[in-house]
Amino acid sequence: MKRNRSKNKSLLKSFFSYRVPAWILMFMFLSFVIFYFLGRSQALHSEANKAFSMVKYIKEVNEEVFLNIGIQEVETQTNNTKIPWTNIGVPLTEKKALIILNYDAKLGIKNSVKVKSIGIKSYNIEIPRYEVIGISLDTKKPYELYDSTGELLSSSTADIDTGKLVTQSLTDEQQKKYLKQYSSQIDDSAKNYYKSLFKSVDSKIKLTFTFER
């Protein structure tokens, strides 16, 4: 028994007295550092490849679309090289692009209507000013470059940015002309919508309408 104890003590003593060569310690340390930074790099790379989204705002709306119109428009734009420090174009340097746009415009209201009782089962519907609710390019053929020409010395003239031209053509301001052009059709659609809505509650209800212009 005593021999076993003394043997164990000698083993422990020899184990703790064993010296690890410096190069092994250095190798282990360097391996740890390398694996640590490799793992860190992969984690950062994974984070960088993730897509992030942020909700900027949430807003309750009372939109109603009364008219959808399919529109095809022809847009043209020209560029030319200017004389330095002036707005004067150099002759024969003009470039011209002509595109055909295909899109849908949704016309209606963005604010709630006001319902006012004017008698027994009689109501007046006050409809707010019409607005452009939304615009969407045609999914199959949104636009096409119909023609692109350049004059004799136009090689130095900047090419026309057709994407920018499309964007400028699709602003709400550009579409407001259709609100005026189709106002009577929007009126009829609004009347039919609210008549159907109220008739589903009581077929004897009578409605009158006023429109904000």
Side-chain angles (χ1 to χ4, degrees):
M1 189 73 174
K2 288 182 180 181
R3 288 181 181 178
N4 289 335
R5 287 180 181 177
S6 60
K7 186 177 180 180
N8 290 336
K9 286 181 180 180
S10 62
L11 286 172
L12 289 171
K13 186 176 180 180
S14 61
F15 175 79
F16 286 109
S17 62
Y18 181 75
R19 294 183 179 181
V20 180
W23 69 269
I24 295 179
L25 293 174
M26 183 61 71
F27 175 78
M28 293 173 64
F29 175 75
L30 290 175
S31 298
F32 171 78
V33 171
I34 290 170
F35 282 114
Y36 172 80
F37 282 105
L38 282 175
R40 184 68 176 168
S41 176
Q42 288 178 354
L44 290 173
H45 181 71
S46 178
E47 288 292 326
N49 287 334
K50 287 183 179 179
F52 292 93
S53 62
M54 180 179 66
V55 178
K56 296 181 68 175
Y57 67 87
I58 298 175
K59 183 181 179 182
E60 186 176 343
V61 295
N62 295 287
E63 296 178 346
E64 290 293 345
V65 176
F66 296 133
L67 201 66
N68 283 327
I69 53 175
I71 301 167
Q72 185 177 77
E73 281 190 358
V74 177
E75 296 284 346
T76 59
Q77 185 173 320
T78 58
N79 280 349
N80 58 17
T81 301
K82 306 293 184 187
I83 296 174
W85 305 290
T86 73
N87 199 34
I88 302 173
V90 177
L92 301 178
T93 62
E94 184 178 271
K95 281 185 179 179
K96 184 177 181 180
L98 186 151
I99 62 171
I100 298 176
L101 278 172
N102 298 289
Y103 63 95
D104 297 324
K106 300 179 184 297
L107 311 178
I109 57 175
K110 292 184 179 181
N111 298 310
S112 300
V113 300
K114 295 179 181 178
V115 181
K116 183 180 179 181
S117 176
I118 56 176
I120 300 174
K121 292 189 177 183
S122 295
Y123 299 91
N124 182 67
I125 310 296
E126 297 181 12
I127 297 179
R129 189 186 303 273
Y130 297 136
E131 299 182 63
V132 179
I133 303 299
I135 300 166
S136 59
L137 285 168
D138 184 82
T139 55
K140 294 182 179 179
K141 201 171 187 179
Y143 72 93
E144 62 176 317
L145 181 62
Y146 182 77
D147 189 26
S148 179
T149 58
E151 293 182 329
L152 183 63
L153 305 177
S154 63
S155 59
S156 61
T157 301
D159 291 332
I160 294 169
D161 188 342
T162 54
K164 184 178 180 181
L165 180 57
V166 170
T167 303
Q168 291 173 344
S169 303
L170 294 178
T171 61
D172 286 353
E173 289 297 322
Q174 289 288 95
Q175 312 313 314
K176 284 184 178 179
K177 59 187 176 184
Y178 296 114
L179 294 173
K180 184 177 182 180
Q181 184 176 346
Y182 295 104
S183 60
S184 61
Q185 289 95 324
I186 305 174
D187 289 348
D188 291 340
S189 179
K191 289 177 182 179
N192 291 332
Y193 174 78
Y194 288 107
K195 282 178 181 178
S196 298
L197 189 64
F198 279 79
K199 292 293 183 183
S200 64
V201 178
D202 189 335
S203 60
K204 295 182 179 180
I205 288 178
K206 295 180 180 180
L207 299 178
T208 58
F209 297 87
T210 57
F211 301 91
E212 182 183 346
R213 301 300 186 189

